[in-house]
Amino acid sequence: MSRPLQRGVSGIQIPDSQSKEKTEKEDLDKKAPSDQSPSSLSLRFPLRLLFADSNNSNNSPSKYGNITDNGFASDPFIVGSPRSRLNLLHFLKFSLLLIVVLALTGSFWWTLSISSSSRGHVYHGYRRLQERLVSDLLDIGEFTRGPAKLKELEFCSQEFENYVPCFNVSENLALGNSDGNKLDRQCGRELRQNCLVLTPVNYKIPLRWPTGRDVIWVANVKITAQEVLSSGSLTKRMMMLDEEQISFRSASLMFDGVEDYSHQIAEMIGLRNESSFLQAGVRTILDIGCGYGSFGAHLFQSQLLTMCVANYEPSGSQVQLTLERGLPAMVASFTSTQLPYPSLSFDMLHCARCGIDWDQKGGIFLIEADRLLRPGGYFVWTSPLTNARNKESQKRWKFVQDFAQSICWEMLSQQDETAVWKKTSKKSCYSSRKPGSGPSLCGKSHDIETPYYRVLQNCIGGTQNSRWIPIEKREAWPSRANLNKNELAVHGLQSDELAEDTDSWKTAVNNYWSLLSPLIFSDHPKRPGEEDPSPPYNMFRNVLDMNAEFGGFNLALLQAKKSVWVMNVVSMSGPNHLPLIQDRGFVGILHDWCEAFPSYPRTYDLVHAAGLLSLEFAKPRRCTMLDLFIEIDRLLRPEGWVIIRDTVPLVESARALTTQLKWDARVIETESDSDQRLLICQKPFYKRQSS
């Protein structure tokens, strides 16, 4: 590669000063000793040999440097010449290389000398630097990709206003499910809808609890007047419809019937009234085909927690109306798979004209009910079949009675159309049965705690479980929330671990409320010097905890006197703590967050996710973070809140996605852990304009 030419004009005479300098150099060379060797030259100019111009190594250099094309001499040691600048650059590179080598050597010996505790601090600092680097790179990536990455999502068409993914009629018919109202959950076959679900035209924010328990807006749910008036579940008919509202409170005999019905069940069990359920060990109830949740709404005032499960219904949904009232509910059905709860999860199962034929398929639905019941738990069934007169109905009723006895259920009482059984508390009952008189016991390989998409089993489950504890021997609520030493040992926990978790969440909930205050009341005028008021206790009602762990967030909300119920979700990507959550007197389910949640749009006021992003996206998944956030948006009510707690890089990534979702978002530092951040978001009230 040729050197750059020194630009000049031919024929111009060299100035005298330059001639004089050249003559002095020649005289100096002449005076040099004649015996000067290359070695002595290298000692006088140590870098001249080191940084010799490799491009001109094959040429014979001039005595005073290289002669350029225009006749000027370029001495490598004259400052300002191209050759000198090049060699100076090489000299600086060599010096920098030498410094780096020395620094690395010193760092190596220093690393060997530090203690193990010091290494922990170094790793902690390195981890923070690494996460900061990832965060910066994410910011740079967002900046460089620009609008293409942050483009806002489009709104879904009107048909998705009440859409629940994974319940596709045509796919279920293809699988042999001929009854379109009893749909199996089939996820993963349909295309994802990367759009935001709009509210109905006349949608209104639900009334706050407890008013919202008794009155809901008609426009918020999909239901017709005919569906309101049609026959069905006992509690499904206890409602009144006017132009804008559906009312569940009335002075009529129909409304009083819920209280009388609950009182009747308590007496059949041997209790004074429904307020004595807690003392009898009943806290959590699975209400199958719950109607519109009136049974659970009445029992809630007695601190009983009722989870409603019902089939997916495109219109007039029991689950949708129950959730709109602020009561626990989810889409699930007794069809071909087990419900997503571990064995021994509920103290009572209730079915009031729920539409399930318990005598069908050889009694396999009763076996599933038995799996879900705790030892000593109650099964309550209200049906015309129990008081039938025709031979066919009497035959079916006789089958249910005999099968219940074969799985060690004792009938306590029968009044009118209602019958109550009590599950055995003693495992010895199963071994004392006559050979072949009932289903066999499940082996350990079949008696598992993760019944996710698991087909119904034709064997009695839960008997191999270390959680086999009769309900009458458990602590009554609310003491049950703090399990004793022996109960914790079953779950592999120590008392101090649970106490530490409880204290941590108590502090977190207090911080959440403090942080939400200025955000909620930011648009409210106040006098100078006044502090923001605390959010009201009933600001939230339906809460979804997407990564519940031990259920500590649920307990902290109740201890803070918040009028909420919490759906505790245990992700299939992490440890299964759902048995612990159920044993503490809470409700929850197992779920894979790469699938749609079994609920209708606009059903939760607050969505909470602590550590979920780290759990779900620490390794490659079949879904993206954007898919997860679109699902959160579907479940969240307008003006609802999202609280995400995770590592700094993941929170920053989540914040970038909120732009696409049109959420208002704010990142807040956490005082307890500098490696984590809080992301607090609010969903706007976007709705379809009337045509």
Side-chain angles (χ1 to χ4, degrees):
M1 180 176 176
S2 61
R3 298 183 178 276
L5 297 177
Q6 298 290 339
R7 294 187 180 274
V9 182
S10 61
I12 296 180
Q13 189 176 0
I14 300 175
D16 294 340
S17 59
Q18 293 183 2
S19 296
K20 183 178 180 181
E21 183 178 349
K22 182 178 179 180
T23 305
E24 289 176 352
K25 287 182 180 180
E26 292 175 351
D27 293 341
L28 182 61
D29 283 326
K30 288 179 180 179
K31 293 178 181 179
S34 58
D35 59 347
Q36 190 177 39
S37 64
S39 60
S40 62
L41 181 62
S42 64
L43 292 175
R44 291 179 59 189
F45 302 106
L47 298 179
R48 182 167 183 170
L49 296 178
L50 183 64
F51 295 111
D53 190 355
S54 61
N55 291 332
N56 297 319
S57 59
N58 296 329
N59 301 329
S60 299
S62 170
K63 186 177 182 179
Y64 304 113
N66 295 330
I67 303 300
T68 62
D69 294 345
N70 60 3
F72 286 96
S74 176
D75 194 291
F77 297 103
I78 297 178
V79 177
S81 67
R83 178 68 179 275
S84 65
R85 285 196 298 268
L86 180 62
N87 284 325
L88 180 60
L89 180 61
H90 287 315
F91 173 77
L92 292 176
K93 288 182 179 179
F94 173 81
S95 302
L96 181 60
L97 178 63
L98 183 62
I99 292 172
V100 169
V101 171
L102 293 175
L104 290 175
T105 304
S107 175
F108 173 76
W109 288 109
W110 174 78
T111 303
L112 292 179
S113 65
I114 61 175
S115 64
S116 60
S117 61
S118 299
R119 287 196 298 270
H121 291 298
V122 171
Y123 173 76
H124 181 73
Y126 168 75
R127 180 186 173 190
R128 292 187 59 186
L129 289 173
Q130 185 185 46
E131 291 180 345
R132 181 66 244 177
L133 175 61
V134 173
S135 177
D136 291 341
L137 291 175
L138 287 172
D139 291 340
I140 294 171
E142 292 168 10
F143 177 77
T144 54
R145 282 188 288 269
K149 177 180 175 60
L150 302 178
K151 182 181 179 181
E152 291 186 348
L153 294 172
E154 300 294 332
F155 292 115
C156 301
S157 58
Q158 188 173 0
E159 61 184 300
F160 290 98
E161 284 182 0
N162 299 284
Y163 175 68
V164 180
C166 302
F167 293 92
N168 187 294
V169 177
S170 59
E171 287 185 1
N172 279 277
L173 291 176
L175 293 172
N177 300 323
S178 59
D179 190 345
N181 290 325
K182 296 180 179 179
L183 302 177
D184 263 342
R185 178 179 168 86
Q186 301 291 334
C187 287
R189 301 190 178 196
E190 55 191 345
L191 296 176
R192 294 184 182 274
Q193 300 296 328
N194 290 328
C195 56
L196 304 179
V197 177
L198 284 169
T199 60
V201 174
N202 297 317
Y203 182 90
K204 296 180 180 179
I205 300 297
L207 301 172
R208 285 184 178 173
W209 182 271
T211 306
R213 173 192 60 195
D214 302 322
V215 180
I216 66 174
W217 301 108
V218 175
N220 290 11
V221 295
K222 187 177 182 180
I223 190 170
T224 64
Q226 182 61 33
E227 288 170 333
V228 173
L229 301 174
S230 63
S231 61
S233 168
L234 173 67
T235 58
K236 195 173 183 179
R237 300 195 302 268
M238 299 178 181
M239 53 196 292
M240 297 179 65
L241 175 67
D242 62 23
E243 185 176 349
E244 290 189 342
Q245 297 177 338
I246 299 176
S247 176
F248 299 88
R249 57 185 179 185
S250 169
S252 66
L253 294 175
M254 191 174 289
F255 177 78
D256 294 337
V258 178
E259 184 175 354
D260 292 341
Y261 176 68
S262 304
H263 189 82
Q264 178 189 3
I265 294 174
E267 288 183 335
M268 294 173 70
I269 291 175
L271 306 175
R272 182 177 180 181
N273 52 45
E274 61 269 30
S275 62
S276 302
F277 277 134
L278 290 177
Q279 285 67 39
V282 177
R283 156 66 179 171
T284 55
I285 301 172
L286 184 66
D287 195 1
I288 305 166
C290 63
Y292 296 135
S294 294
F295 182 63
H298 174 70
L299 294 179
F300 189 84
Q301 60 188 348
S302 300
Q303 300 186 63
L304 299 175
L305 191 58
T306 302
M307 170 62 72
C308 163
V309 293
N311 298 328
Y312 166 70
E313 298 165 296
S315 180
S317 167
Q318 303 171 65
V319 171
Q320 187 180 37
L321 267 77
T322 301
L323 285 165
E324 190 68 20
R325 299 181 66 185
L327 300 167
M330 60 172 283
V331 179
S333 60
F334 283 80
T335 306
S336 61
T337 58
Q338 293 181 338
L339 296 182
Y341 310 111
S343 301
L344 318 178
S345 287
F346 294 94
D347 306 313
M348 178 185 288
L349 265 66
H350 173 255
C351 166
R353 298 186 181 180
C354 61
I356 295 180
D357 297 324
W358 297 106
D359 60 308
Q360 299 300 307
K361 297 187 178 181
I364 197 169
F365 297 143
L366 286 171
I367 294 176
E368 174 64 1
D370 179 84
R371 183 186 72 84
L372 297 171
L373 265 180
R374 291 192 175 100
Y378 302 96
F379 181 79
V380 180
W381 185 32
T382 298
S383 170
L385 197 66
T386 63
N387 200 23
R389 294 290 184 265
N390 63 75
K391 291 185 178 180
E392 181 62 27
S393 297
Q394 288 178 348
K395 180 180 178 181
R396 295 177 61 191
W397 168 232
K398 184 67 166 57
F399 176 88
V400 173
Q401 287 179 297
D402 293 343
F403 195 88
Q405 185 177 3
S406 73
I407 57 176
C408 291
W409 287 8
E410 177 190 0
M411 178 178 279
L412 298 181
S413 180
Q414 180 186 356
Q415 293 183 15
D416 301 325
E417 293 185 350
T418 302
V420 177
W421 287 269
K422 182 179 176 67
K423 179 178 176 177
T424 184
S425 298
K426 300 178 180 179
K427 295 182 182 179
S428 58
C429 174
Y430 301 109
S431 58
S432 63
R433 296 177 300 170
K434 295 180 181 180
S437 62
S440 60
L441 303 183
C442 295
K444 274 196 171 183
S445 60
H446 291 84
D447 196 0
I448 60 175
E449 298 280 27
T450 54
Y452 199 69
Y453 287 124
R454 193 162 182 258
V455 297
L456 291 173
Q457 302 294 302
N458 199 19
C459 57
I460 298 175
T463 58
Q464 308 288 334
N465 201 310
S466 56
R467 295 170 48 241
W468 182 281
I469 302 174
I471 61 172
E472 54 267 19
K473 292 186 178 181
R474 291 182 179 273
E475 293 287 341
W477 179 265
S479 300
R480 181 189 288 192
N482 299 305
L483 301 180
N484 60 43
K485 183 178 180 181
N486 294 332
E487 290 172 326
L488 286 174
V490 171
H491 299 283
L493 289 176
Q494 301 292 330
S495 299
D496 55 347
E497 292 180 84
L498 192 65
E500 182 181 354
D501 182 75
T502 300
D503 292 340
S504 173
W505 280 114
K506 183 178 180 180
T507 302
V509 167
N510 290 335
N511 290 339
Y512 289 167
W513 240 249
S514 299
L515 293 170
L516 286 171
S517 297
L519 300 177
I520 293 171
F521 298 102
S522 60
D523 297 331
H524 292 224
K526 61 180 181 177
R527 296 177 182 177
E530 285 186 351
E531 295 184 356
D532 293 307
S534 297
Y537 74 97
N538 61 349
M539 175 185 163
F540 306 126
R541 175 58 189 169
N542 299 355
V543 177
L544 177 66
D545 193 358
M546 301 178 70
N547 187 29
E549 296 189 24
F550 302 155
F553 180 59
N554 190 341
L555 179 61
L557 287 172
L558 298 180
Q559 290 178 337
K561 307 298 183 184
K562 309 305 179 186
S563 184
V564 303
W565 73 271
V566 180
M567 176 66 86
N568 296 281
V569 182
V570 173
S571 172
M572 294 294 292
S573 300
N576 182 12
H577 295 302
L578 187 56
L580 169 65
I581 291 171
Q582 299 282 158
D583 287 352
R584 299 183 74 180
F586 306 138
V587 292
I589 65 166
L590 292 166
H591 184 63
D592 181 352
W593 280 115
C594 278
E595 298 178 356
F597 194 73
S599 186
Y600 288 81
R602 306 175 302 278
T603 51
Y604 288 96
D605 305 299
L606 172 66
V607 175
H608 176 257
L612 179 71
L613 303 183
S614 297
L615 179 65
E616 295 292 337
F617 301 108
K619 55 184 179 181
R621 297 277 282 157
R622 70 179 191 275
C623 60
T624 65
M625 194 182 297
L626 180 59
D627 296 329
L628 179 66
F629 274 58
I630 292 174
E631 177 63 7
I632 294 174
D633 184 87
R634 185 184 72 87
L635 297 171
L636 196 62
R637 283 174 172 167
E639 299 184 2
W641 294 84
V642 180
I643 299 177
I644 295 174
R645 183 189 181 109
D646 225 299
T647 60
V648 177
L650 289 172
V651 167
E652 292 296 337
S653 298
R655 182 185 61 175
L657 295 179
T658 61
T659 305
Q660 296 182 265
L661 298 165
K662 306 175 176 65
W663 292 355
D664 297 324
R666 181 174 299 184
V667 175
I668 301 173
E669 294 186 4
T670 57
E671 297 180 359
S672 58
D673 191 347
S674 59
D675 293 335
Q676 292 196 335
R677 293 289 186 273
L678 280 176
L679 178 64
I680 299 181
C681 313
Q682 186 178 30
K683 176 181 175 178
F685 191 166
Y686 38 71
K687 62 181 180 179
R688 195 177 308 280
Q689 300 297 322
S690 57
S691 55

